[in-house]
Amino acid sequence: MRITRIDFEGAPGNYATAQCKLGAHRKVTHLEVEILKPDYTRRYLVEADDEDDLYRVAKETFRHLEGFDGTGSDVHELYRELSRLI
């Protein structure tokens, strides 16, 4: 069994979806993170083995979901959830 998609809900009206993209032999090659807000939509494609980029996207996603820059532990919690897809 594998988790392939996670939906996040932040402040009212702010959502994000993260899903894995599979390559050869059902190996996760990328994560796609889409931020959905009433006046803003953004999609990120992150290589599965790029931890720095994944953390950057977690930080950006948290900011858009909650409307403020999170603390290190806030961002790390979101990063950990995104890592579950790899």
Coordinates of all heavy atoms in Angstrom, one line a residue:
M1 N 0.8 -1.2 0.0 CA 0.0 0.0 0.0 C 0.9 1.2 0.0 O 1.9 1.3 0.6 CB -0.9 0.0 1.2 CG -1.8 1.2 1.3 SD -3.0 1.2 2.6 CE -1.9 1.5 4.0
R2 N 0.4 2.3 -0.7 CA 1.2 3.5 -0.8 C 0.3 4.7 -0.7 O -0.8 4.7 -1.3 CB 1.9 3.5 -2.1 CG 2.5 4.9 -2.5 CD 3.1 4.8 -3.8 NE 4.4 4.2 -3.6 CZ 5.3 3.9 -4.6 NH1 4.9 4.1 -5.8 NH2 6.4 3.3 -4.3
I3 N 0.7 5.7 0.0 CA -0.1 7.0 0.0 C 0.3 7.7 -1.2 O 1.5 7.9 -1.5 CB 0.2 7.8 1.3 CG1 -0.2 7.0 2.5 CG2 -0.4 9.2 1.2 CD1 0.3 7.7 3.8
T4 N -0.6 8.1 -2.0 CA -0.3 8.8 -3.3 C -0.8 10.3 -3.4 O -0.4 11.0 -4.3 CB -0.9 8.0 -4.5 OG1 -2.4 8.0 -4.3 CG2 -0.4 6.6 -4.6
R5 N -1.6 10.7 -2.4 CA -2.1 12.0 -2.4 C -2.5 12.5 -1.0 O -3.0 11.7 -0.2 CB -3.4 12.1 -3.3 CG -4.0 13.4 -3.4 CD -5.3 13.4 -4.3 NE -6.1 14.5 -4.0 CZ -6.6 15.3 -4.9 NH1 -6.5 14.9 -6.2 NH2 -7.4 16.3 -4.6
I6 N -2.2 13.7 -0.7 CA -2.6 14.3 0.6 C -3.2 15.7 0.3 O -2.6 16.5 -0.5 CB -1.4 14.5 1.5 CG1 -0.7 13.1 1.8 CG2 -1.8 15.1 2.8 CD1 0.6 13.3 2.6
D7 N -4.3 16.0 0.9 CA -5.0 17.3 0.8 C -4.8 18.0 2.1 O -4.9 17.4 3.2 CB -6.5 17.1 0.5 CG -6.8 16.4 -0.8 OD1 -6.0 16.8 -1.8 OD2 -7.7 15.6 -0.9
F8 N -4.5 19.3 2.0 CA -4.3 20.2 3.1 C -5.3 21.3 3.1 O -5.7 21.8 2.0 CB -2.9 20.8 3.1 CG -1.8 19.8 3.1 CD1 -1.2 19.4 1.9 CD2 -1.3 19.2 4.3 CE1 -0.2 18.4 1.9 CE2 -0.3 18.3 4.3 CZ 0.3 17.9 3.1
E9 N -5.8 21.7 4.3 CA -6.6 22.8 4.4 C -6.0 23.8 5.4 O -5.6 23.4 6.5 CB -8.0 22.4 4.9 CG -9.0 23.5 5.0 CD -10.4 23.0 5.4 OE1 -10.6 21.8 5.5 OE2 -11.2 23.9 5.7
G10 N -5.9 25.1 5.0 CA -5.4 26.1 5.9 C -6.5 27.0 6.3 O -7.6 26.6 6.7
A11 N -6.2 28.3 6.3 CA -7.1 29.4 6.6 C -8.3 29.2 5.7 O -8.2 28.6 4.6 CB -6.5 30.7 6.5
P12 N -9.5 29.7 6.1 CA -10.7 29.5 5.2 C -10.4 29.9 3.8 O -9.9 31.0 3.5 CB -11.7 30.5 5.9 CG -11.3 30.6 7.3 CD -9.8 30.5 7.3
G13 N -10.7 28.9 2.9 CA -10.6 29.1 1.5 C -9.2 28.7 0.9 O -9.0 28.8 -0.3
N14 N -8.3 28.4 1.8 CA -6.9 28.1 1.3 C -6.7 26.5 1.4 O -6.8 26.0 2.4 CB -5.9 28.8 2.1 CG -6.0 30.3 2.0 OD1 -6.6 30.8 1.1 ND2 -5.4 31.0 3.0
Y15 N -6.4 26.0 0.3 CA -6.2 24.5 0.2 C -4.9 24.2 -0.6 O -4.4 25.0 -1.4 CB -7.3 23.9 -0.6 CG -8.7 24.1 0.0 CD1 -9.4 25.2 -0.4 CD2 -9.1 23.3 1.1 CE1 -10.7 25.4 0.2 CE2 -10.3 23.5 1.7 CZ -11.1 24.6 1.3 OH -12.3 24.9 1.9
A16 N -4.4 23.0 -0.4 CA -3.2 22.5 -1.2 C -3.4 21.0 -1.4 O -4.0 20.3 -0.5 CB -1.9 22.8 -0.5
T17 N -2.9 20.5 -2.5 CA -2.9 19.1 -2.8 C -1.5 18.7 -3.1 O -0.8 19.4 -3.9 CB -3.9 18.8 -3.9 OG1 -5.2 19.2 -3.6 CG2 -3.9 17.3 -4.3
A18 N -1.1 17.6 -2.6 CA 0.2 17.1 -3.0 C 0.0 15.6 -3.4 O -0.7 14.9 -2.8 CB 1.2 17.1 -1.8
Q19 N 0.7 15.3 -4.5 CA 0.6 13.9 -5.0 C 1.9 13.5 -5.7 O 2.6 14.3 -6.2 CB -0.6 13.8 -6.0 CG -0.6 14.6 -7.2 CD -1.8 14.5 -8.1 OE1 -2.8 13.9 -7.6 NE2 -1.8 15.0 -9.2
C20 N 2.1 12.2 -5.6 CA 3.4 11.7 -6.2 C 3.2 11.4 -7.7 O 2.1 11.0 -8.1 CB 3.9 10.5 -5.4 SG 2.8 9.1 -5.3
K21 N 4.2 11.5 -8.4 CA 4.3 11.1 -9.8 C 5.2 10.0 -9.9 O 6.4 10.0 -9.5 CB 4.8 12.3 -10.7 CG 3.9 13.5 -10.6 CD 2.6 13.3 -11.2 CE 1.7 14.5 -11.1 NZ 0.4 14.2 -11.6
L22 N 4.7 8.9 -10.5 CA 5.5 7.7 -10.6 C 6.2 7.6 -11.9 O 5.7 7.9 -13.0 CB 4.6 6.5 -10.4 CG 3.8 6.4 -9.1 CD1 2.9 5.2 -9.1 CD2 4.7 6.4 -7.9
G23 N 7.4 7.0 -11.9 CA 8.2 6.7 -13.1 C 8.3 5.2 -13.3 O 7.4 4.5 -12.9
A24 N 9.4 4.8 -13.8 CA 9.6 3.4 -14.1 C 9.5 2.6 -12.8 O 9.9 3.0 -11.8 CB 10.9 3.2 -14.8
H25 N 9.0 1.4 -13.0 CA 8.9 0.4 -11.8 C 8.1 1.0 -10.6 O 8.5 0.7 -9.5 CB 10.3 0.0 -11.4 CG 11.1 -0.5 -12.5 ND1 10.8 -1.7 -13.2 CD2 12.2 0.0 -13.2 CE1 11.7 -1.9 -14.1 NE2 12.5 -0.9 -14.2
R26 N 7.2 1.9 -10.9 CA 6.4 2.5 -9.9 C 7.2 3.3 -8.8 O 6.8 3.4 -7.7 CB 5.4 1.5 -9.2 CG 4.4 0.9 -10.2 CD 3.4 0.0 -9.6 NE 2.9 0.4 -8.3 CZ 1.8 1.1 -8.1 NH1 1.2 1.6 -9.1 NH2 1.4 1.4 -6.9
K27 N 8.3 3.8 -9.2 CA 9.2 4.5 -8.3 C 8.8 6.0 -8.4 O 8.6 6.6 -9.4 CB 10.6 4.4 -8.7 CG 11.6 5.1 -7.7 CD 13.0 4.8 -8.1 CE 13.9 5.3 -7.1 NZ 14.5 6.6 -7.3
V28 N 8.6 6.7 -7.2 CA 8.3 8.1 -7.2 C 9.4 8.9 -7.7 O 10.6 8.8 -7.2 CB 7.9 8.5 -5.7 CG1 7.6 10.0 -5.7 CG2 6.7 7.7 -5.2
T29 N 9.2 9.7 -8.7 CA 10.2 10.5 -9.3 C 10.0 12.0 -8.9 O 11.0 12.7 -8.8 CB 10.3 10.4 -10.8 OG1 9.0 10.8 -11.3 CG2 10.6 9.0 -11.2
H30 N 8.8 12.4 -8.8 CA 8.5 13.8 -8.5 C 7.3 13.9 -7.6 O 6.5 13.0 -7.5 CB 8.1 14.6 -9.8 CG 9.2 14.8 -10.7 ND1 9.6 13.8 -11.6 CD2 10.1 15.8 -10.9 CE1 10.7 14.2 -12.3 NE2 11.0 15.4 -11.9
L31 N 7.2 15.0 -6.9 CA 6.0 15.4 -6.1 C 5.4 16.6 -6.8 O 6.1 17.6 -7.1 CB 6.3 15.7 -4.7 CG 6.8 14.6 -3.8 CD1 7.0 15.1 -2.4 CD2 5.8 13.4 -3.8
E32 N 4.1 16.7 -7.0 CA 3.4 17.8 -7.5 C 2.6 18.4 -6.3 O 1.8 17.7 -5.7 CB 2.5 17.4 -8.6 CG 1.8 18.6 -9.2 CD 0.9 18.2 -10.3 OE1 -0.3 17.8 -10.0 OE2 1.3 18.3 -11.5
V33 N 2.9 19.7 -6.0 CA 2.1 20.4 -5.0 C 1.4 21.5 -5.6 O 2.0 22.4 -6.3 CB 3.1 20.9 -3.9 CG1 2.3 21.7 -2.8 CG2 3.9 19.8 -3.3
E34 N 0.1 21.6 -5.4 CA -0.7 22.6 -6.0 C -1.4 23.4 -4.8 O -2.0 22.8 -4.0 CB -1.8 22.0 -6.9 CG -2.6 23.1 -7.6 CD -3.5 22.5 -8.7 OE1 -4.0 21.3 -8.5 OE2 -3.9 23.2 -9.6
I35 N -1.2 24.7 -4.9 CA -1.8 25.6 -3.9 C -3.0 26.2 -4.5 O -3.0 26.8 -5.6 CB -0.8 26.7 -3.5 CG1 0.4 26.0 -2.8 CG2 -1.5 27.7 -2.5 CD1 1.5 27.0 -2.6
L36 N -4.2 26.2 -3.8 CA -5.4 26.7 -4.4 C -6.0 27.7 -3.3 O -6.4 27.3 -2.2 CB -6.4 25.5 -4.6 CG -5.9 24.4 -5.5 CD1 -6.8 23.2 -5.4 CD2 -5.9 24.9 -6.9
K37 N -6.1 28.9 -3.8 CA -6.7 30.0 -2.9 C -7.7 30.7 -3.8 O -7.7 30.6 -5.0 CB -5.6 31.0 -2.5 CG -4.6 30.4 -1.5 CD -3.4 31.3 -1.2 CE -3.8 32.6 -0.7 NZ -2.6 33.4 -0.3
P38 N -8.6 31.4 -3.2 CA -9.6 32.1 -4.1 C -9.0 33.0 -5.2 O -9.6 33.1 -6.3 CB -10.4 32.9 -3.0 CG -10.3 32.2 -1.7 CD -8.9 31.6 -1.8
D39 N -7.9 33.6 -4.9 CA -7.3 34.6 -5.9 C -5.9 34.2 -6.3 O -5.2 35.0 -6.9 CB -7.3 36.0 -5.3 CG -6.5 36.0 -4.0 OD1 -6.2 35.0 -3.4 OD2 -6.1 37.1 -3.6
Y40 N -5.6 32.9 -6.1 CA -4.2 32.5 -6.4 C -4.1 31.0 -6.5 O -4.7 30.2 -5.8 CB -3.3 32.9 -5.2 CG -1.8 32.5 -5.3 CD1 -1.0 33.4 -5.9 CD2 -1.4 31.3 -4.8 CE1 0.4 33.1 -6.0 CE2 0.0 31.0 -4.8 CZ 0.9 31.9 -5.5 OH 2.2 31.6 -5.6
T41 N -3.5 30.6 -7.6 CA -3.2 29.1 -7.8 C -1.8 29.0 -8.3 O -1.3 29.8 -9.1 CB -4.1 28.6 -8.9 OG1 -5.5 28.7 -8.5 CG2 -3.8 27.1 -9.2
R42 N -1.1 28.0 -7.7 CA 0.3 27.8 -8.0 C 0.6 26.3 -8.0 O 0.1 25.6 -7.1 CB 1.2 28.5 -7.0 CG 2.7 28.4 -7.2 CD 3.2 29.3 -8.2 NE 4.6 29.0 -8.6 CZ 5.6 29.8 -8.4 NH1 5.5 30.9 -7.7 NH2 6.8 29.4 -8.7
R43 N 1.4 25.8 -8.9 CA 1.8 24.4 -8.9 C 3.3 24.3 -8.9 O 4.0 25.0 -9.7 CB 1.2 23.8 -10.2 CG 1.5 22.3 -10.2 CD 0.8 21.6 -11.4 NE -0.7 21.7 -11.2 CZ -1.6 21.6 -12.1 NH1 -1.2 21.4 -13.4 NH2 -2.8 21.7 -11.9
Y44 N 3.8 23.4 -8.0 CA 5.2 23.2 -7.9 C 5.4 21.7 -8.3 O 4.7 20.8 -7.9 CB 5.7 23.3 -6.5 CG 5.6 24.7 -6.0 CD1 4.5 25.1 -5.2 CD2 6.6 25.7 -6.2 CE1 4.4 26.4 -4.7 CE2 6.5 27.0 -5.8 CZ 5.4 27.3 -5.0 OH 5.3 28.6 -4.5
L45 N 6.5 21.5 -9.0 CA 7.0 20.1 -9.3 C 8.3 19.9 -8.7 O 9.3 20.7 -9.1 CB 7.0 19.9 -10.8 CG 7.2 18.4 -11.3 CD1 6.0 17.6 -10.8 CD2 7.3 18.4 -12.8
V46 N 8.5 19.0 -7.8 CA 9.7 18.8 -7.0 C 10.3 17.5 -7.3 O 9.5 16.5 -7.2 CB 9.4 19.0 -5.5 CG1 10.7 18.9 -4.7 CG2 8.7 20.3 -5.2
E47 N 11.5 17.4 -7.5 CA 12.2 16.1 -7.7 C 12.2 15.4 -6.3 O 12.4 16.0 -5.3 CB 13.6 16.2 -8.2 CG 13.7 16.7 -9.6 CD 15.1 16.6 -10.2 OE1 15.9 15.8 -9.8 OE2 15.3 17.5 -11.0
A48 N 11.8 14.1 -6.3 CA 11.7 13.3 -5.1 C 12.9 13.3 -4.2 O 12.8 13.2 -3.0 CB 11.2 11.9 -5.4
D49 N 14.1 13.4 -4.8 CA 15.3 13.3 -4.1 C 16.0 14.6 -3.7 O 17.1 14.7 -3.2 CB 16.3 12.4 -4.8 CG 16.7 12.9 -6.2 OD1 16.1 13.9 -6.6 OD2 17.6 12.3 -6.8
D50 N 15.2 15.7 -4.0 CA 15.8 17.0 -3.7 C 15.1 17.6 -2.4 O 14.1 18.3 -2.4 CB 15.5 18.0 -4.8 CG 16.2 19.3 -4.7 OD1 16.6 19.7 -3.6 OD2 16.3 20.0 -5.8
E51 N 15.8 17.2 -1.2 CA 15.2 17.6 0.1 C 15.2 19.1 0.3 O 14.3 19.6 0.9 CB 16.1 16.9 1.2 CG 15.9 15.4 1.2 CD 16.8 14.8 2.3 OE1 17.2 15.5 3.2 OE2 17.0 13.6 2.2
D52 N 16.2 19.8 -0.2 CA 16.2 21.3 -0.1 C 15.0 21.9 -0.8 O 14.4 22.8 -0.2 CB 17.5 21.9 -0.6 CG 18.7 21.5 0.3 OD1 18.5 21.2 1.5 OD2 19.8 21.5 -0.2
D53 N 14.8 21.5 -2.0 CA 13.6 22.0 -2.8 C 12.3 21.7 -2.1 O 11.4 22.5 -2.1 CB 13.7 21.6 -4.2 CG 12.9 22.4 -5.1 OD1 12.7 23.6 -4.8 OD2 12.4 21.9 -6.2
L54 N 12.2 20.4 -1.6 CA 11.0 20.0 -0.9 C 10.7 20.9 0.3 O 9.6 21.3 0.6 CB 11.1 18.5 -0.6 CG 9.8 17.9 0.0 CD1 8.6 18.1 -0.9 CD2 10.0 16.5 0.4
Y55 N 11.8 21.2 1.1 CA 11.6 22.0 2.2 C 11.2 23.4 1.8 O 10.3 24.1 2.5 CB 12.9 22.1 3.1 CG 12.7 22.8 4.4 CD1 12.2 22.1 5.5 CD2 13.0 24.1 4.5 CE1 12.0 22.7 6.7 CE2 12.8 24.8 5.7 CZ 12.3 24.1 6.8 OH 12.1 24.7 8.0
R56 N 11.8 24.0 0.8 CA 11.4 25.3 0.3 C 9.9 25.3 -0.1 O 9.2 26.3 0.2 CB 12.3 25.7 -0.9 CG 12.0 27.1 -1.5 CD 12.7 27.3 -2.8 NE 12.4 26.4 -3.8 CZ 11.3 26.4 -4.6 NH1 10.4 27.3 -4.4 NH2 11.0 25.5 -5.5
V57 N 9.5 24.3 -0.8 CA 8.1 24.2 -1.2 C 7.2 24.1 0.0 O 6.1 24.6 0.1 CB 7.8 23.1 -2.2 CG1 6.4 22.8 -2.5 CG2 8.5 23.4 -3.5
A58 N 7.6 23.3 1.0 CA 6.8 23.2 2.3 C 6.7 24.6 2.9 O 5.6 24.9 3.4 CB 7.5 22.2 3.2
K59 N 7.7 25.3 2.9 CA 7.7 26.6 3.5 C 6.8 27.6 2.8 O 6.0 28.3 3.4 CB 9.1 27.2 3.5 CG 9.3 28.5 4.3 CD 10.8 28.9 4.3 CE 11.0 30.1 5.1 NZ 12.4 30.4 5.3
E60 N 6.8 27.5 1.5 CA 6.0 28.4 0.6 C 4.5 27.9 0.7 O 3.6 28.8 0.8 CB 6.4 28.3 -0.8 CG 5.8 29.2 -1.8 CD 6.2 30.6 -1.6 OE1 7.2 30.9 -1.0 OE2 5.6 31.5 -2.2
T61 N 4.3 26.6 0.8 CA 2.9 26.1 0.9 C 2.3 26.5 2.3 O 1.2 27.0 2.3 CB 2.9 24.6 0.8 OG1 3.5 24.3 -0.5 CG2 1.5 24.0 0.9
F62 N 3.1 26.4 3.3 CA 2.6 26.8 4.6 C 2.2 28.3 4.6 O 1.1 28.7 5.1 CB 3.6 26.5 5.7 CG 3.1 26.8 7.1 CD1 2.4 25.8 7.8 CD2 3.2 28.1 7.7 CE1 1.9 26.1 9.1 CE2 2.7 28.4 8.9 CZ 2.0 27.4 9.6
R63 N 3.0 29.1 4.1 CA 2.8 30.6 4.0 C 1.5 30.9 3.3 O 0.7 31.7 3.8 CB 3.9 31.3 3.3 CG 3.8 32.8 3.4 CD 5.0 33.5 2.9 NE 5.4 33.2 1.6 CZ 4.8 33.8 0.5 NH1 3.9 34.7 0.6 NH2 5.2 33.5 -0.7
H64 N 1.2 30.2 2.2 CA 0.0 30.4 1.5 C -1.2 29.8 2.2 O -2.3 30.3 2.1 CB 0.1 29.9 0.0 CG 0.9 30.8 -0.8 ND1 0.4 32.0 -1.3 CD2 2.1 30.7 -1.4 CE1 1.4 32.6 -2.0 NE2 2.4 31.8 -2.1
L65 N -1.1 28.7 2.8 CA -2.2 28.0 3.5 C -2.6 28.8 4.7 O -3.8 29.0 4.9 CB -1.8 26.6 4.0 CG -1.8 25.5 2.9 CD1 -1.3 24.2 3.5 CD2 -3.2 25.3 2.4
E66 N -1.7 29.3 5.5 CA -2.0 29.9 6.8 C -2.0 31.5 6.7 O -2.5 32.1 7.6 CB -1.1 29.4 7.9 CG -1.2 28.0 8.2 CD -2.6 27.6 8.6 OE1 -3.4 28.4 9.1 OE2 -2.9 26.4 8.5
G67 N -1.3 32.0 5.7 CA -1.3 33.5 5.6 C -0.1 34.1 6.3 O -0.1 35.4 6.4
F68 N 0.8 33.4 6.8 CA 2.0 33.9 7.5 C 3.1 32.9 7.4 O 2.9 31.7 7.2 CB 1.7 34.2 9.0 CG 1.3 33.0 9.8 CD1 2.2 32.3 10.5 CD2 -0.1 32.7 9.9 CE1 1.8 31.2 11.3 CE2 -0.5 31.6 10.7 CZ 0.5 30.8 11.4
D69 N 4.3 33.4 7.6 CA 5.5 32.5 7.7 C 5.4 31.7 8.9 O 5.3 32.2 10.0 CB 6.8 33.3 7.6 CG 7.0 34.1 6.3 OD1 6.5 33.6 5.3 OD2 7.7 35.1 6.3
G70 N 5.5 30.4 8.8 CA 5.5 29.5 9.9 C 6.8 29.4 10.6 O 7.9 29.8 10.1
T71 N 6.8 28.9 11.8 CA 8.1 28.7 12.6 C 8.7 27.5 11.9 O 8.1 26.8 11.1 CB 7.8 28.4 14.0 OG1 7.0 27.2 14.1 CG2 7.0 29.5 14.7
G72 N 9.9 27.2 12.3 CA 10.6 26.0 11.8 C 9.9 24.7 12.1 O 9.8 23.9 11.2
S73 N 9.2 24.6 13.2 CA 8.5 23.4 13.5 C 7.2 23.3 12.7 O 6.8 22.2 12.3 CB 8.2 23.2 15.0 OG 7.4 24.3 15.4
D74 N 6.6 24.4 12.4 CA 5.4 24.4 11.5 C 5.7 23.9 10.1 O 5.1 23.1 9.6 CB 4.8 25.9 11.4 CG 4.2 26.4 12.6 OD1 3.7 25.7 13.4 OD2 4.2 27.7 12.7
V75 N 6.8 24.5 9.6 CA 7.2 24.1 8.2 C 7.7 22.6 8.2 O 7.4 21.9 7.3 CB 8.3 25.0 7.7 CG1 8.9 24.6 6.4 CG2 7.8 26.4 7.6
H76 N 8.4 22.2 9.3 CA 8.9 20.9 9.3 C 7.8 19.9 9.4 O 7.9 18.8 8.8 CB 9.9 20.7 10.5 CG 10.6 19.3 10.5 ND1 11.6 19.1 9.6 CD2 10.4 18.2 11.2 CE1 12.0 17.8 9.7 NE2 11.2 17.3 10.7
E77 N 6.7 20.2 10.1 CA 5.6 19.3 10.1 C 5.0 19.1 8.7 O 4.7 18.0 8.3 CB 4.5 19.8 11.1 CG 3.3 18.9 11.2 CD 2.3 19.5 12.2 OE1 2.7 20.3 13.1 OE2 1.1 19.1 12.1
L78 N 4.8 20.2 8.0 CA 4.3 20.1 6.6 C 5.3 19.3 5.7 O 4.9 18.5 4.9 CB 4.0 21.4 6.0 CG 3.4 21.5 4.6 CD1 2.1 20.7 4.6 CD2 3.2 22.9 4.2
Y79 N 6.6 19.6 5.9 CA 7.7 18.9 5.1 C 7.6 17.4 5.4 O 7.7 16.6 4.5 CB 9.0 19.4 5.6 CG 10.2 18.6 5.0 CD1 10.7 18.8 3.8 CD2 10.8 17.7 5.9 CE1 11.8 18.1 3.3 CE2 11.9 17.0 5.4 CZ 12.4 17.2 4.1 OH 13.4 16.4 3.7
R80 N 7.4 17.0 6.7 CA 7.3 15.6 7.0 C 6.1 14.9 6.3 O 6.2 13.8 5.8 CB 7.2 15.5 8.5 CG 7.3 14.0 9.0 CD 7.3 13.9 10.6 NE 6.4 14.9 11.2 CZ 6.8 15.8 12.1 NH1 8.1 15.9 12.4 NH2 6.0 16.6 12.7
E81 N 5.0 15.6 6.2 CA 3.8 15.1 5.6 C 4.1 14.9 4.1 O 3.7 13.9 3.5 CB 2.6 15.9 5.8 CG 2.1 15.9 7.2 CD 1.6 14.5 7.6 OE1 1.0 13.8 6.8 OE2 1.9 14.1 8.8
L82 N 4.7 15.9 3.5 CA 5.1 15.8 2.0 C 6.0 14.6 1.8 O 5.9 13.9 0.8 CB 5.7 17.1 1.5 CG 4.8 18.3 1.5 CD1 5.5 19.5 1.1 CD2 3.6 18.1 0.5
S83 N 6.9 14.4 2.7 CA 7.9 13.3 2.6 C 7.3 12.0 2.6 O 7.8 11.0 2.1 CB 9.0 13.4 3.7 OG 9.7 14.6 3.6
R84 N 6.1 11.8 3.2 CA 5.4 10.6 3.3 C 5.1 10.1 1.9 O 4.9 8.9 1.7 CB 4.1 10.7 4.1 CG 4.4 11.0 5.5 CD 3.1 11.2 6.3 NE 2.3 9.9 6.3 CZ 1.0 9.9 6.7 NH1 0.4 10.9 7.0 NH2 0.4 8.7 6.7
L85 N 5.0 11.0 0.9 CA 4.6 10.6 -0.5 C 5.8 9.9 -1.2 O 5.6 9.3 -2.3 CB 4.1 11.8 -1.2 CG 2.8 12.4 -0.7 CD1 2.5 13.7 -1.4 CD2 1.7 11.4 -0.9
I86 N 7.0 10.1 -0.7 CA 8.2 9.6 -1.5 C 8.4 8.2 -1.2 O 8.3 7.7 -0.1 CB 9.4 10.5 -1.1 CG1 9.2 11.9 -1.5 CG2 10.6 9.9 -1.7 CD1 10.2 12.9 -1.0

